Amino acid sequence: MRLVAKPTEQEILEGPQAVSFQIANGNVRQRCILQTDLPTQSLAQKYLLTNWLIVERMAREALAAGIPDDGQIKLAMV
């Protein structure tokens, strides 16, 4: 049985964690950020990997709608 890592003091102070990833957009990579409600980076990363198909679809839909001014696609936890 695997134990879930407890959030560190710094993670508690930082609040919910975000994970970044990239998707291919032709010959370039598009940076994306997924904001979660999870307290640790490892849980946020696990959430991203578990829900990758949904998250990737959302990122591609956002990319098709147009890239925001800062050049990043920002998503929220589904």
Side-chain angles (χ1 to χ4, degrees):
M1 177 196 265
R2 196 179 259 189
L3 297 176
V4 177
K6 293 182 181 179
T8 64
E9 190 173 320
Q10 181 178 354
E11 288 172 330
I12 291 170
L13 293 175
E14 291 174 356
Q17 300 294 306
V19 288
S20 61
F21 61 96
Q22 296 179 348
I23 58 172
N25 181 18
N27 290 336
V28 264
R29 296 270 179 191
Q30 179 62 50
R31 182 180 170 157
C32 306
I33 298 173
L34 174 65
Q35 181 65 48
T36 70
D37 295 334
L38 301 168
T40 67
Q41 275 292 321
S42 62
L43 287 175
Q45 184 71 30
K46 184 176 180 179
Y47 178 86
L48 173 66
L49 295 175
T50 302
N51 296 289
W52 174 249
L53 295 176
I54 296 167
V55 173
E56 181 186 19
R57 181 172 31 98
M58 290 173 57
R60 293 202 180 279
E61 288 171 359
L63 183 62
I67 300 171
D69 293 333
D70 62 357
Q72 298 178 11
I73 296 174
K74 296 180 181 176
L75 303 171
M77 189 172 177
V78 290

